[in-house]
């Protein structure tokens, strides 16, 4: 993958004749207590040396990804709009900076239904974020969760189920990456002999979880399954030279995975 443009809120790459744009919705600071060791144990006073903190907190970037095949754009996740912290909700600015017209976004697909991934369907002023949206794909196991979001009520009946193995087009395939949420879904983008794996919330804290993938997140629906899936996907990416794109990797959140003697490391592109 080759970087072809960048700004404060976006970075665009070329993969074959597709373009993939990382869109920075913002960031959220979380307490270190969110990290969990096996057995749902918190860390005590002895924190891992490699853990990077900002004013004593874990700073998580929040990224969405737009895939442009030259005809229309598929958007993976939508950020949080004004539904959570004021440090988030910058997806519209990112799209404008990247010169992506929202009218070209015809498909939105969610990795899962946590609020920092779905609330950007609606702008802070109440208008639709994507007025030409024709297809809204929600992991089948999380359709009820999506339809419980009152703010998104006008989209409830428009949501279509998304299943592992489903092709969103010629170049995008959904894959199951369960653990963080029951329907947590990744997207394998393949073109021109290259593969990009958009993996949602597989990793929350990149300064720690590549080197220590056994460390889980408090809000993982199933911490044990999340650990197993993380190890499986990290190995898949490293062994097949996939590029990866993560919702909470430091913006722009795209890079490659390599094995180390004991675990993995991430190199941003």
């Amino acid at each position: 993958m080759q970087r072809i443009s960048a700004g404060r809120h976006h970075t665009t790459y070329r993969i074959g004749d597709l373009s993939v744009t990382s869109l920075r919705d913002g960031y959220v600071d979380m307490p270190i207590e969110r990290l969990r060791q096996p057995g749902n144990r918190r860390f005590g006073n002895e924190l891992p040396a490699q853990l990077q903190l900002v004013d004593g907190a874990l700073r998580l970037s929040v990224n969405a990804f737009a895939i442009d095949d030259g005809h229309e754009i598929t958007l993976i996740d939508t950020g949080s709009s004004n539904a959570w912290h004021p440090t988030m909700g910058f997806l519209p600015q990112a799209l404008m900076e990247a010169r992506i017209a929202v009218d070209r976004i015809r498909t939105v697909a969610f990795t899962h239904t946590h609020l920092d991934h779905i609330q950007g369907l609606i702008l802070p002023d109440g208008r639709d974020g994507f007025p030409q949206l024709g297809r809204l794909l929600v992991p089948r196991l999380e359709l009820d969760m999506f339809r419980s979001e009152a703010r998104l009520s006008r989209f409830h009946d428009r949501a279509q189920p998304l299943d592992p193995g489903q092709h969103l087009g010629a170049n995008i395939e959904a894959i199951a990456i369960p653990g963080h949420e029951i329907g947590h879904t990744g997207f394998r983008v393949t073109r021109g002999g290259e593969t990009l794996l958009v993996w949602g919330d597989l990793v929350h804290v990149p300064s720690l979880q590549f080197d220590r993938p056994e460390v889980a997140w408090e809000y993982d629906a199933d911490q044990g399954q999340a650990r197993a899936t993380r190890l499986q996907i990290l190995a898949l990416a490293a062994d097949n030279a996939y590029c990866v794109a993560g919702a909470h990797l430091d913006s722009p959140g795209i890079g490659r995975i390599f094995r180390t003697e004991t675990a993995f490391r991430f190199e941003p592109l």
Side-chain angles (χ1 to χ4, degrees):
M1 292 181 64
Q2 178 184 5
R3 184 182 291 205
I4 57 176
S5 72
R8 181 182 179 190
H9 293 293
H10 93 284
T11 306
T12 299
Y13 301 81
R14 183 70 64 190
I15 174 170
D17 58 359
L18 304 177
S19 65
V20 176
T21 300
S22 170
L23 301 159
R24 180 179 179 271
D25 192 61
Y27 68 88
V28 59
D29 288 339
M30 302 292 277
I32 58 175
E33 289 78 16
R34 296 286 182 260
L35 295 171
R36 296 303 168 92
Q37 302 177 77
N40 198 30
R41 293 182 295 114
R42 296 179 178 181
F43 285 95
N45 294 328
E46 295 297 323
L47 293 174
Q50 68 269 53
L51 189 62
Q52 296 177 9
L53 302 175
V54 178
D55 296 328
L58 301 165
R59 177 157 293 180
L60 278 60
S61 185
V62 180
N63 312 310
F65 300 93
I67 303 161
D68 187 347
D69 66 5
H71 301 289
E72 63 180 56
I73 294 171
T74 297
L75 182 64
I76 307 299
D77 292 335
T78 66
S80 64
S81 188
N82 60 336
W84 203 13
H85 293 268
T87 54
M88 305 162 68
F90 294 98
L91 184 73
Q93 291 92 321
L95 290 164
M96 185 178 301
E97 181 184 280
R99 298 183 179 180
I100 294 175
V102 293
D103 287 352
R104 292 190 60 226
I105 297 173
R106 302 297 179 85
T107 296
V108 168
F110 293 138
T111 58
H112 62 298
T113 56
H114 291 180
L115 66 83
D116 52 326
H117 299 260
I118 66 174
Q119 294 290 345
L121 285 173
I122 295 178
L123 299 175
D125 64 7
R127 291 180 297 127
D128 285 6
F130 313 101
Q132 298 302 315
L133 183 65
R135 187 169 55 159
L136 177 60
L137 299 173
V138 178
R140 183 183 294 274
L141 294 175
E142 298 185 36
L143 277 169
D144 287 345
M145 298 167 66
F146 176 76
R147 289 169 178 156
S148 72
E149 292 288 339
R151 182 176 179 272
L152 303 178
S153 60
R154 66 178 177 262
F155 292 97
H156 290 175
D157 291 339
R158 297 177 63 182
Q160 302 174 33
L162 175 66
D163 295 303
Q166 183 172 333
H167 287 264
L168 281 63
N171 309 110
I172 309 172
E173 178 189 7
I175 65 170
I177 50 172
H180 176 60
E181 196 46 86
I182 56 172
H184 195 210
T185 298
F187 298 90
R188 183 160 38 205
V189 182
T190 305
R191 190 69 171 176
E194 295 184 279
T195 298
L196 171 69
L197 182 59
V198 184
W199 70 21
D201 286 15
L202 191 83
V203 170
H204 287 84
V205 184
S207 65
L208 180 63
Q209 287 179 294
F210 291 110
D211 186 53
R212 295 188 56 180
E214 79 278 5
V215 176
W217 191 243
E218 179 182 7
Y219 295 138
D220 288 337
D222 185 325
Q223 292 180 18
Q225 188 175 49
R227 289 186 181 95
T229 298
R230 184 162 39 255
L231 285 167
Q232 175 191 355
I233 297 300
L234 289 174
L236 176 71
D239 294 344
N240 292 279
Y242 289 175
C243 294
V244 300
H248 297 307
L249 301 183
D250 297 337
S251 180
I254 291 181
R256 293 188 183 275
I257 307 297
F258 298 90
R259 286 186 179 271
T260 65
E261 290 185 4
T262 57
F264 301 89
R265 62 182 170 87
F266 173 74
E267 288 192 2
L269 288 174

